[in-house]
Amino acid sequence: MGVKQKVIEGFQKIFGEKPAILVRAPGRVNLIGEHTDYNDGFVLPMAINRAAWIALRPRDDRRLQIYSLDYQETAEFSLDDLHKGEGWVEYIKGVANELNFARLQVKGWDGVLGGDVPNGAGLSSSAAVEMAAARAFAAVSGFNWEPARMAQIGQRAENHWVGVNCGIMDQMASAAAQAGHALFLDCRSLEYEQVPLPNEVVVVVMDTSTRRGLVDSAYNERRAQCEAAANFFGVPALRDVSLEEFQAKRDELKNTVMRRARHVITENQRVLDAVAAMRAGDSQILGHLFNESHASLRDDFEVTNEALNQIVAAAQRQSACYGARMTGAGFGGCAVALVEREKADAFISAASKEYRRHSGLEALFYISQAAEGAGLVAQ
Ligand code: GLA
């Protein structure tokens, strides 16, 4: 049974009637533009066909009652009396808190939450839950779905309530993506364009099955190094430094900070080049940019682990693969490959065998269509 059916049936069992509303918000895979979002730069994620779902009905008061299918527990709270706690419901409370703060008149609801975005794999399961919750609030409260505004609400919930210092990419991808397209996003202005994926390729998400703790502290350290580099150049963010300016002054920077900045500055350019390649339907160039991005994340930004390097190398060795790279924050989780559509199945069996041989680990591969962003779904 799909997740859609599960949340509908779960709702019927708990609340004794059909849900009035059904919402869905997807996870994402980033095609290129890694660790650029918090540098006011460019990213090119796409929504995947794995999502968080909520079946719900509006309430007359400002209370919420939500059952999680994954955790098999109910959480209840009042929108007028929010307190921090622990666990899955904090993402929803955080969104509620930010909606209150934005003075949107939100109403309460009863709902059942389910999903199939794996946790901790770098596919933004938390952004999916945040955007599903925001979509639910919008539906019961009657305010418009403005993707960029809702993504900012989700990001603030994550930053201020959950305590994760993420950028805007994941929530924007979940809120604003369009089926069949990648989302080319300027993380400074939040302007975006939908860019169609070349027809002859599929996007293969490759989960190394490794997870690393302490990602937060390493992530915050990278952010601080990027800020130090921007300060050195006297600009608000590394987005404002051209490659020429960087080359002219790079020797004055400490080696580590220099390499962090070089990754961000070259990666921003790779996103622009990738968008041009996609528009020209040039999968060769696009794949080549994936490979360069991975090398830069491995050598300059240093956010890969052994498993990510092994799975990317295993993918790159297959003739059907145009290019591959780690995706998301790094240190474990997933990589992404651009693969000839006709040969995708053969690619998966060869690359997974090779990865197993080198790492001794079992990977999970998903061929992912570019899915639609957060929305209401007919039952
Ligand atoms: C995580 C964060 C994003 C982004 C990526 C790295 O997914 O949530 O905001 O910074 O890492 O590109």
Side-chain angles (χ1 to χ4, degrees), residues 288-330:
H288 181 67
L289 292 162
F290 274 40
N291 294 342
E292 287 191 333
S293 169
H294 185 80
S296 175
L297 288 156
R298 181 191 59 210
D299 302 335
D300 276 352
F301 217 65
E302 295 180 292
V303 289
T304 65
N305 67 354
E306 192 56 22
L308 282 166
N309 294 333
Q310 284 169 330
I311 210 162
V312 165
Q316 288 171 342
R317 273 194 291 270
Q318 312 307 318
S319 61
C321 178
Y322 288 103
R325 56 181 290 278
M326 61 147 273
T327 185

Side-chain angles (χ1 to χ4, degrees), residues 39 222-238 241 246 253-254 256-262 264-265:
N39 290 294
R222 297 301 182 284
R223 285 190 74 140
Q225 290 163 334
C226 291
E227 276 159 31
N231 281 342
F232 168 80
F233 285 100
V235 292
L238 280 177
V241 181
F246 170 75
L253 283 166
K254 272 204 217 129
T256 310
V257 174
M258 183 281 285
R259 287 184 294 116
R260 304 296 188 251
R262 181 165 62 192
V264 173
I265 293 164

Side-chain angles (χ1 to χ4, degrees), residues 38-100:
Y38 54 81
N39 290 294
D40 279 3
F42 304 109
V43 292
L44 190 67
M46 70 172 216
I48 56 175
N49 45 10
R50 288 173 169 262
W53 292 77
I54 303 175
L56 68 145
R57 69 177 179 204
R59 292 173 63 114
D60 296 332
D61 57 12
R62 291 198 6 114
R63 290 193 66 77
L64 255 79
Q65 189 185 341
I66 318 156
Y67 179 80
S68 159
L69 289 177
D70 289 345
Y71 295 90
Q72 301 188 6
E73 63 182 27
T74 301
E76 270 191 82
F77 59 89
S78 160
L79 293 166
D80 297 314
D81 189 22
L82 292 166
H83 299 281
K84 281 191 194 173
E86 275 185 11
W88 58 274
V89 78
E90 296 310 306
Y91 298 101
I92 300 175
K93 280 192 209 159
V95 166
N97 184 53
E98 290 299 333
L99 290 168
N100 278 343

